Amino acid sequence: MLNVRTSKEPPWIKSNLYAIVNAVTFDFTCPVRVDPPTVNASAQYTITFRVGQAIPSGSGTITVAFPTGTLLSYSISSGSVWLKTGATCGASDFTVPDCPSSDPSATPLTFNPTISGQQITLTIPNTLTINAGDWISIRFCLSADIKNPYNPGNYTLQIKTSTQPNFG
């Protein structure tokens, strides 16, 4: 709760309650990359964000919530999703555009992702270390068979992790 007053109205007024949550951070100058960005097309998605807390290898998870209208496959193989730490915004987050990635710093999933409604949950591979403050890129390959919405427009997806359980 905050207290606020002005020079015209000197008594303190209490604000409504508000919440501060533990969520991942997006750099708003770094948009989600969708290739191709065409309606009703299968697309490759590259998402870059920052974690505030470490995610344990082998058991930690990242969940991506896709917007309504995005069509998700019933199953996705582990080789259709790649993760990279130390990512930066822009074309350099994966050094090559192909998928599966031949980028030596990218890691494929070990376990198939789980899909529930509009959410895809990824388990962090045993070979990948994600520390607090790391920038992460996720690449969903064309083989993940994620289809863009039928309607053109601006869309937002959300991410949470097993250590930061609120969508950001």
Side-chain angles (χ1 to χ4, degrees):
M1 189 173 332
L2 291 175
N3 291 317
V4 179
R5 71 177 177 181
T6 68
S7 59
K8 299 261 184 197
E9 297 181 27
W12 287 99
I13 306 293
K14 292 182 180 182
S15 73
N16 292 330
L17 294 176
Y18 59 93
I20 305 294
V21 298
N22 187 5
V24 301
T25 305
F26 286 96
D27 178 346
F28 293 105
T29 64
C30 185
V32 173
R33 291 202 335 254
V34 180
D35 185 27
T38 309
V39 295
N40 196 35
S42 290
Q44 175 175 283
Y45 280 72
T46 304
I47 307 156
T48 302
F49 60 98
R50 187 175 190 180
V51 295
Q53 295 182 0
I55 306 173
S57 300
S59 63
T61 61
I62 298 171
T63 300
V64 180
F66 285 86
T68 301
T70 306
L71 299 176
L72 305 179
S73 176
Y74 290 106
S75 66
I76 297 174
S77 72
S78 58
S80 293
V81 184
W82 291 71
L83 300 172
K84 182 175 178 175
T85 60
T88 59
C89 183
S92 63
D93 58 347
F94 281 82
T95 58
V96 290
D98 64 338
C99 212
S101 181
S102 60
D103 182 336
S105 62
T107 304
L109 294 184
T110 308
F111 304 104
N112 290 345
T114 58
I115 302 165
S116 178
Q118 291 300 111
Q119 297 181 18
I120 300 175
T121 300
L122 318 173
T123 300
I124 306 305
N126 288 323
T127 58
L128 187 65
T129 301
I130 299 178
N131 298 307
D134 278 353
W135 284 95
I136 309 298
S137 270
I138 302 171
R139 171 153 303 157
F140 290 94
C141 303
L142 283 173
S143 58
D145 198 28
I146 298 173
K147 283 196 173 183
N148 294 333
Y150 285 100
N151 297 314
N154 293 317
Y155 291 89
T156 302
L157 54 75
Q158 297 180 304
I159 294 182
K160 67 179 179 178
T161 72
S162 52
T163 57
Q164 292 183 280
N166 297 293
F167 278 114

